[in-house]
Each structure stands twice: as structure tokens, then as C-alpha cells.
Amino acid sequence: MIKLYNYDLSVNCYKQRLMMGILGIDYESIPVDFFPGQEHKSEAFKEVNPLGHIPVIVDGDYTLRDAHAILVYLAAKYDPSGCWYPSDDPELIGELSQWMLFAEGTTNTASAARLHDNLGYAFDIDALRSGAHQLFRVLDEHLWFREREGKDWVCSADHPTIADLAIFPDVMLSEEGGISRLPYPAIRRWTERVRRIEGFTIMPGIQEAASLAI
Amino acid sequence: MSQNHTRDESKTTATNEVEDLSLRWFPIGRSDDAAHRHVHHAKLLGRELAVWRADDDYLNVWENRCLHRGVRLSIGHNDGTELKCIYHGWRYASRTAGCTYIPAHPADAPARTICNRTFPAGERYGLMWTTEQGEGSPPEIPALEAGSPFALRSLPFDAPAALIEEHLDQYQSGGEVTVTELGPHNLLLTSDQASIVFFIQPVDSGESVVHSVLTTAPNPQNELVVLHHHARALTALRDRIETVASRLPEPTPLEPALEQIEPTDLDGQTPPSRDEAELRVTVARKWETGEGIKAFELVPLTGQLPTVQPGAHIDVHLPNGLVRQYSLTNRAGEQEHYVIGVKLEPDSRGGSACLHESVREGDVLAISAPRHNFSLRRDALDTILIAGGIGITPLLSMAETLSQGGHPFTLHYFAQSSSHLAFPDRLEELGDACRTHLGLSPEQTGDQLKDILDSYTTSQHVYICGPGPMLDAARDLAEGHRWPESAVHFEYFKNTTEVDKSAEFTISLARSGVTTTVGAGQSILKVLRDQGIAMPSSCEQGACGTCVVGVIKGEPLHQDVYLKPGERASGERIVTCVSRSLSDELILDI
């Protein structure tokens, strides 16, 4: 069974829980006392990941770190439909990679602001918030034009991909870092669509969306 | 907000501006921002708004806070007819914003006074509009009325509305531009290429949204190109304006007044109203909905009717002076009118005959506000609804509410024949969840009821409404099959108990500090009213439960059909219109 080095309040660990929930993958959660214990910086944990980050997964004798890389691995290996990581479509996989890098940006701004506000990390909070807003403006406009084309997701496919899952948690918890989503109506609608994906998993601060119809 | 209408020049411009703007209509989003089953989050003049469209397309603009704990309703669930707060699940009805359900009190109807603040809503030119204190409808712009308006992408600005207004002439639309001011924060920009009307939504003192509408819609094939072109132009302008804004001192955020909800409004007690016929309605439609059954759709003469919850009934004051009670048969989420179904009773004492024969479409009737003494729980794992004849009226409403919420239920409808089924079109919509039992003898009815009630499982509830003998039989069966009393809910049409009015006794009113005598032939209800206590009542024959009060001491003589056996035995509540006292004194909690 896959082992996930996990912290419940971590957005990056949540990305893996989300993916494994959607793909119906059973996994074992190994709790890491990220706060206040700083266990991810311990010597013992650095044997698992010398960078001292979570999440890390161990699948048999295969170990992988970094949230977005793990998403790629899980989808490529465990999604027989090939939807979540459409590796046989060059244009789509290009777009997907572009938005995965965008997700690094939202993690390093919006989610970093959350670490500042919630856990007292010493970051330049104004820079983080303004950086997040710049990205959110781009994402809102992108999603708004996607809607005009009848598309629901970050990439141009007619189904969600790991790019949606990589960006969604950073966006969804942005208000915990003082970044309002009020100016981004298209983002708000997209987060609702993500929360309606079958197999969706919640986390503290992220609820399911209302169902469309019964 | 603006008690003082005289302009005080010494006041800051900002204050005056807010006072003026509160009467204006502003856009708060594009119409498609209120997507299906979504809640749009907006802000106008510092006030947060939850904007949502019900499945019937009604657009709701509400203060963005749940009355319970102040949590934003914009993160709540739009279920198509109600908005549910994410925190403790309080539900509010579309249109009225009245609370319809409190999960922590699943058996009780929320008080009518628990009602959210609403703002006027309108849609025009592809945009949604509201006004804080204004009236009428969104402004009509001649240039748009004459053209084929096409709403562009709305863009948020980190800049005050007035600053944006000053710089809009720099909008690069191709060629020379002319800007005409149409009203506050409303400009018409024309160039060789295009003619655009801008509406600037003052979000807060330093934030705005610019909504823009082309006077002439592009060719459908070019729509995307045109949208991209103007989005780029507006973004370029935003960059310039925000650079200017960033050099200005940060303005103080606006502080809109929140309406205070009186604590007394939240304690679950509807203030009793002496005015039993407080509403005036017009019969908008009268139709035959089954053999011997007429349905009436009642619309308010003015304003909005109070919130309907499933199982509610109203008093109808008839032209012949009689007052009769009828259950509301509104569909889930239907709040714009009331629907009642009336069966012509062969031995009518004048109520049903008057409605059937005399009352016509267009007539005005006086009615009471809805009374909620037969409330529906929405937390049951399974709900059984048993209707006998016209007893379908509250139960159909309940069935549709459960259906809308995705709760499992079965509606059993006993009637003489298929032509006697009321609201057949709506029954059909319920599909397999509705089972009809037609033309059964009393014995056959009993057997059928036995089948329906033969086993009880945890978190199952049954609601029964129908003729007295059927109801009695169903209750006996439920008791025999170990249904707990708390799971059996019923509403009688009338009380057939022979009421004994002979005894004389004393009542002490603990809260009012009054002690008085109820003489032979008098009712407690009448004596209370004689003491100047505003007591609500409805059927006044011990069936509906409107006039119930708490008993602190003494032994009531129950003569009603409203209270359940356990409630009777506890002696903690009394139906004041018919019940009396076995002890010399009753101390009432009133």
C-alpha cells in the first residue's frame, strides 16, 4: 500500500489525498508533526527527503517527493482512463505542464501567506499577497474565457486534469492568508466545479459544494 | 443611514457621496455570475452581498451574513430553493430570506422573525443590479435601449471609482474617443470603432469593478475576438489607473450599517399577533384539481408574503364572515403566492361551500400569516407520509420538500377514486415515491395501514393527515408497532371531542402577574384575551395548536386533539381554546 507522509493542514499533502481519493487508491497516512514539532526538519525525516519537505510517498520500493511530481506519478500510474495526466496528447500535456508551474506560483504566494498568517512564518506578507492576486487575476481571466468556450477546467480538455488539483487547494484556502477571492467570480465558480468531482475529499477549510440537482 | 437629508457642506465628500449613492442602482456582476446552484459573492459600497439565483430564476440579493453566527452566506449551498449556511445548516427561503429550517431544532418551525436582510434585485443589459436604499428598477440607458447591448468582461480595479471615472477617456478603443457622463459612475464612451457604456461599481473606498456594455452586439462569430480585445484594452487602462492609485494614501474602508436583529426575535418565539387577518390577498387563480376539490392561488395585494414552511396552515376569513383553516400546498421553494386546496364538504357549515361557490378569481380575501404547528423534520433517514382525502394538502408540500432535498420518503395517498386525487400533475412528478390507495373500505384501509406501519426503524418518521377515524387507526397501529411517540406526527381536520366546559377554576399568569377565574362556559383563551393578553389562535376547537401555552403548575384537563399522549401526560402544555383544569388552579407560563 502507498505510504503518504502527511500533515492534515498541509495544502500540498491535501493535493495527494485529493488525487488518491478520486482515483480510489487506498493509502496509509504517516503523520508528520509539521507544526509545532517541525518533524519534517528532523534528521530522521531527512533520510526520507533530504530537502525536509512533505509530502513524500513510498510506493513499494519507489520513493517520490514534491507535491506536483507526486500528482504526475499517481495519475500516470493509477488512472487507466488517462484523463488526469493525458501524456499521449502533446498539446494538452504542454498546457498541463504550464499550469503545473503556475501552481508552484500559487503555492509560493497564496499558500505561503497562509503559513505566515496561521503558523507565524516570517515572510514578506505584502509581497506574497500581491503576488497571489497577480496570479489570481490571470487565472480568473483564463477561466472566464474558458467558460465562454464552454470549457470548465484549467486545461482545454473537457475533463479535469492534475493541473486543476494542483492549483485548487492553494486557491481554496487563500482567505486563510488574507487573500480574498471576492474579485474573482470565475475562480469561485471553478472551485465549485472541482468540489463536485466524483470522489472529492474535504479538508479543514474546504467543504463540498452544493449538488447541482437531485 | 441618511436620516438627515439636508446636505451638510462641512461634511467630507466621501460621506455625502455614500449618502447619495445608497439611493442609486449599481451593477454587482454579470448575469451569468449567478450561475446555476452557485452563490455569487459581491460587495457594494463596503457592504458584502450574497447573490444567488433560485431554480425558478428568481435573483436574490442578501446581506452576506447568516443571522445565526454571522458566517458568510456566499460560501453556503444554493440548493435551488433555499440557501443553506455552511456552518450550522440554517436554511433561508428564496424571495423572503426567511429561515425555514434549523438543524439543531429539527422538530420545530423557525420563528417568522428570523429573516435575512434582502436588497432589491434587477437584471438589465446582461448585468445584475441592486440598490441599498433606492426604489424602482435599474436605470435605462437610451444608448443601450436603442442598440443591442452586449456585456463585456467585468474587471476588478484596486482604485476608487472616482479615479477610474477621471481616467476612462484614456481607454484605447481605436481612434479618438468622446466620453459623455450619463450619471454617477456611469459613462458613455464613443469612438470610430465602438460605443461602450461603462458602469463603475464602487466596491469599497479603494476598490471598484468596471462593467462595460457595448451598445451594438458583435457578430456571433466574432464575439470571442471582441471580448478579448476589450479585456486587453481595459486591463491596459487598469494598469495605468492602479499605478496612479498606488501613489495615493490608502482610503479608509467604508463601514456600512448592519441592521440589528433584536435578540427577542431570535428566541424562537413568534411575537403573538392580535391581528389574526393581517394579510390581504387576491385570488389569482381558482381551478378544479380533483373531483369536488378546488385549488386557489392567493397572491399578495402588496409586498411579499411571509415565508412558507411545509405543513403550514392559514386562517381564511371568508366573505360570509366565517373563518376557516386550510393547509398551504405550496411546492418546495414556492414563496411568491400561497396555494390551498379546498374540498366541498357535503355537510358544509358554510366554509367550503362559500369558497367553492362564491369566491371568484380577482376577489380579495383576508388571511392570517402561516402558522407552523405541523413541521417537517429534514433529518430523517426515511419519512412516511400518509394522506387521507384532502389531508393530502400539507403532505404534498412536505413530499416535494423532501424530494427537493434528496431525502428518502414515501407518500401514501388514500382516496375514493383516481378522479378524487388532488393535484394529479404534481403527484405524477413524485413518481414511484407516491403510492395511491383507491376506493378501499375502512377494513381494507386498516390492513393497508398495518402494512405501511408494520415495522419501525431508527430515524424513521411518519406524518399523518386525514379524517379522524383513519388518523386514530394509524396512530393506534404505530403505537402497536412500537413507533416512538416522537416519530409520529399528525394533524386532525377537526376536534370531535365533546368539550366539557362546566368546571370553574383559577388561572395565575406567571409572567404577567395576574390571577383570574375561568368561569363555566368560558375558555382559557377568552379569559386571557379579556386580560389584554395578545393570544394567537386559529381553529379555536383544539385541533391546530396555535393557542398552546406552557403550564407551570396544576393538572390540565386536555380536550384537544393536538397534543401527543406523552405531552398530555406531562401536563406541561395546554391548548387554551378547549382545555381546562382538573385542579383548582393552573399556573400558566405567560
Side-chain angles (χ1 to χ4, degrees):
Chain A
M1 193 187 292
I2 294 179
K3 286 184 182 142
L4 171 67
Y5 287 87
N6 187 24
Y7 178 61
D8 272 350
L9 298 179
S10 149
V11 276
N12 275 331
C13 295
Y14 172 58
K15 292 173 188 180
Q16 320 315 318
R17 302 196 296 269
L18 199 50
M19 181 81 270
M20 290 195 276
I22 291 167
L23 295 178
I25 301 170
D26 276 341
Y27 64 93
E28 181 190 346
S29 173
I30 302 174
V32 177
D33 182 6
F34 182 86
F35 185 87
Q38 297 275 303
E39 198 182 346
H40 58 300
K41 299 293 181 198
S42 68
E43 286 310 312
F45 187 78
K46 280 187 180 165
E47 282 179 27
V48 180
N49 178 3
L51 295 176
H53 293 159
I54 46 170
V56 173
I57 61 156
V58 180
D59 189 3
D61 49 14
Y62 180 76
T63 301
L64 194 64
R65 64 171 185 250
D66 287 321
H68 300 155
I70 300 171
L71 285 180
V72 170
Y73 169 74
L74 291 173
K77 182 153 184 188
Y78 292 103
D79 171 27
S81 77
C83 285
W84 290 97
Y85 187 71
S87 53
D88 55 355
D89 182 334
E91 284 170 9
L92 198 50
I93 209 71
E95 270 177 56
L96 183 144
S97 306
Q98 170 192 295
W99 286 106
M100 293 298 276
L101 285 167
F102 183 88
E104 293 294 328
T106 53
T107 304
N108 293 331
T109 54
S111 289
R114 182 171 164 263
L115 288 179
H116 171 276
D117 284 15
N118 281 0
L119 305 184
Y121 278 55
F123 292 149
D124 177 353
I125 187 64
D126 292 337
L128 295 180
R129 287 184 187 147
S130 118
H133 278 296
Q134 282 176 32
L135 294 174
F136 284 13
R137 280 183 169 184
V138 170
L139 180 62
D140 190 67
E141 179 168 25
H142 173 73
L143 290 167
W144 191 86
F145 277 104
R146 275 275 185 267
E147 287 180 342
R148 301 277 98 52
E149 297 160 15
K151 307 271 187 181
D152 284 342
W153 310 104
V154 164
C155 294
S156 56
D158 57 6
H159 53 76
T161 62
I162 56 169
D164 295 282
L165 304 188
I167 302 168
F168 166 80
D170 299 325
V171 169
M172 202 59 211
L173 291 171
S174 70
E175 282 170 1
E176 293 187 7
I179 299 148
S180 169
R181 289 189 298 283
L182 177 79
Y184 312 114
I187 288 183
R188 293 189 74 252
R189 289 191 291 277
W190 165 75
T191 62
E192 205 160 59
R193 292 194 287 273
V194 174
R195 288 181 288 140
R196 289 190 181 117
I197 292 172
E198 205 180 325
F200 178 77
T201 305
I202 60 169
M203 78 164 268
I206 304 182
Q207 306 285 336
E208 290 109 338
S211 61
L212 278 178
I214 291 157
Chain B
M1 203 165 190
S2 58
Q3 292 99 341
N4 186 357
H5 289 282
T6 14
R7 253 180 184 252
D8 181 356
E9 295 300 331
S10 66
K11 274 191 189 169
T12 63
T13 335
T15 319
N16 275 333
E17 189 184 29
V18 172
E19 281 181 8
D20 293 340
L21 296 182
S22 72
L23 298 172
R24 295 261 163 199
W25 283 81
F26 285 103
I28 47 169
R30 286 169 48 100
S31 282
D32 48 17
D33 281 334
H36 178 62
R37 299 282 173 107
H38 179 72
V39 189
H40 174 62
H41 186 187
K43 197 173 181 187
L44 179 64
L45 296 165
R47 181 186 300 283
E48 282 205 23
L49 302 168
V51 182
W52 65 285
R53 201 184 288 285
D55 284 359
D56 66 1
D57 226 25
Y58 186 88
L59 186 66
N60 294 283
V61 179
W62 294 359
E63 184 95 63
N64 192 18
R65 55 196 302 276
C66 178
L67 291 174
H68 181 218
R69 296 282 178 179
V71 167
R72 284 188 174 121
L73 290 171
S74 57
I75 58 169
H77 285 182
N78 167 359
D79 84 352
T81 60
E82 293 169 327
L83 188 61
K84 184 179 86 169
C85 177
I86 200 94
Y87 198 25
H88 293 102
W90 287 34
R91 289 173 166 273
Y92 300 93
S94 173
R95 293 173 193 261
T96 65
C99 182
T100 48
Y101 192 65
I102 299 175
H105 301 279
D108 302 325
R112 174 181 162 187
T113 42
I114 307 178
C115 192
N116 229 298
R117 181 163 184 200
T118 63
F119 296 94
E123 291 187 78
R124 188 164 278 168
Y125 313 132
L127 303 174
M128 302 185 288
W129 300 70
T130 194
T131 173
E132 188 161 321
Q133 303 191 37
E135 287 175 355
S137 56
E140 287 184 22
I141 308 296
L144 295 174
E145 292 295 321
S148 50
F150 179 75
L152 298 166
R153 175 165 147 77
S154 302
L155 210 64
F157 280 56
D158 286 336
L163 187 73
I164 300 170
E165 210 168 326
E166 276 171 39
H167 289 77
L168 264 178
D169 58 350
Q170 294 172 23
Y171 185 84
Q172 298 290 317
S173 160
E176 192 87 351
V177 300
T178 322
V179 175
T180 321
E181 191 169 335
L182 301 175
H185 302 338
N186 177 202
L187 303 158
L188 171 66
L189 181 140
T190 29
S191 72
D192 306 343
Q193 304 292 317
S195 198
I196 310 175
V197 177
F198 289 102
F199 301 98
I200 308 170
Q201 170 192 347
V203 169
D204 210 322
S205 52
E207 295 148 51
S208 312
V209 177
V210 175
H211 303 273
S212 35
V213 183
L214 284 181
T215 56
T216 309
N219 187 321
Q221 292 99 304
N222 286 338
E223 274 183 11
L224 265 180
V225 176
V226 169
L227 285 168
H228 273 293
H229 168 78
H230 286 286
R232 271 196 297 274
L234 197 56
T235 305
L237 181 65
R238 175 168 75 180
D239 291 345
R240 279 201 292 279
I241 293 176
E242 288 188 343
T243 308
V244 177
S246 66
R247 293 192 202 111
L248 301 173
E250 204 165 306
T252 320
L254 300 175
E255 283 180 18
L258 290 179
E259 265 193 357
Q260 291 294 313
I261 305 295
E262 293 299 322
T264 49
D265 292 349
L266 291 170
D267 68 5
Q269 297 294 316
T270 307
S273 158
R274 278 225 74 151
D275 188 1
E276 302 295 334
E278 59 184 288
L279 306 171
R280 296 287 177 280
V281 290
T282 307
V283 178
R285 196 154 82 91
K286 173 183 178 181
W287 72 101
E288 178 145 328
T289 181
E291 201 171 318
I293 304 166
K294 295 262 199 255
F296 298 79
E297 186 180 293
L298 311 173
V299 299
L301 281 191
T302 54
Q304 169 72 54
L305 293 166
T307 310
V308 183
Q309 299 165 27
H313 81 267
I314 54 170
D315 301 344
V316 178
H317 295 250
L318 296 167
N320 62 11
L322 293 174
V323 183
R324 288 289 180 266
Q325 288 71 46
Y326 296 102
S327 291
L328 296 179
T329 312
N330 285 40
R331 285 173 185 266
E334 206 173 25
Q335 299 285 354
E336 65 274 33
H337 51 240
Y338 293 160
V339 178
I340 57 172
V342 179
K343 182 187 172 200
L344 180 63
E345 296 295 342
D347 55 347
S348 170
R349 292 173 294 150
S352 62
C354 176
L355 275 163
H356 269 249
E357 286 148 26
S358 310
V359 173
R360 294 179 187 175
E361 288 183 359
D363 286 358
V364 173
L365 297 172
I367 62 171
S368 71
R371 307 181 192 285
H372 300 107
N373 304 319
F374 188 39
S375 341
L376 176 69
R377 297 179 70 114
R378 303 200 207 173
D379 59 348
L381 291 181
D382 183 36
T383 302
I384 298 176
L385 307 166
I386 302 175
I390 197 63
I392 186 67
T393 51
L395 298 183
L396 179 55
S397 202
M398 289 183 176
E400 288 167 341
T401 301
L402 293 170
S403 170
Q404 167 79 18
H407 305 286
F409 72 95
T410 313
L411 169 64
H412 294 275
Y413 186 179
F414 292 79
Q416 244 173 289
S417 75
S418 61
S419 66
H420 287 83
L421 295 171
F423 304 101
D425 46 330
R426 290 167 60 180
L427 297 174
E428 197 149 315
E429 286 173 30
L430 294 173
D432 292 345
C434 175
R435 295 185 199 153
T436 53
H437 308 281
L438 305 174
L440 303 188
S441 67
E443 293 73 33
Q444 289 170 317
T445 301
D447 290 343
Q448 194 67 57
L449 288 171
K450 207 176 290 174
D451 280 353
I452 296 168
L453 295 166
D454 71 346
S455 70
Y456 164 77
T457 52
T458 309
S459 195
Q460 205 176 19
H461 284 263
V462 62
Y463 294 77
I464 318 160
C465 184
M470 175 189 161
L471 222 155
D472 292 340
R475 285 178 60 195
D476 287 346
L477 282 165
E479 199 186 333
H481 289 100
R482 299 177 186 280
W483 282 71
E485 190 177 301
S486 58
V488 182
H489 313 264
F490 49 86
E491 186 172 74
Y492 281 87
F493 295 154
K494 57 185 177 206
N495 182 6
T496 51
T497 316
E498 196 125 331
V499 176
D500 174 358
K501 299 181 185 171
S502 58
E504 184 177 297
F505 55 96
T506 303
I507 51 172
S508 293
L509 314 183
R511 290 200 227 181
S512 319
V514 171
T515 300
T516 184
T517 305
V518 179
Q522 287 183 304
S523 70
I524 300 176
L525 178 67
K526 176 168 185 308
V527 173
L528 289 173
R529 285 184 171 162
D530 289 347
Q531 290 294 326
I533 292 168
M535 278 292 296
S537 73
S538 179
C539 74
E540 300 197 4
Q541 51 155 301
C544 77
T546 305
C547 64
V548 166
V549 300
V551 177
I552 294 169
K553 199 177 162 203
E555 193 182 342
L557 167 63
H558 297 290
Q559 307 194 80
D560 62 283
V561 289
Y562 176 75
L563 296 178
K564 295 179 176 184
E567 291 177 302
R568 287 171 161 247
S570 79
E572 286 169 359
R573 302 210 296 161
I574 186 166
V575 178
T576 56
C577 61
V578 293
S579 296
R580 305 179 68 80
S581 183
L582 290 169
S583 49
D584 293 340
E585 188 191 39
L586 278 184
I587 302 180
L588 301 180
D589 186 12
I590 192 161

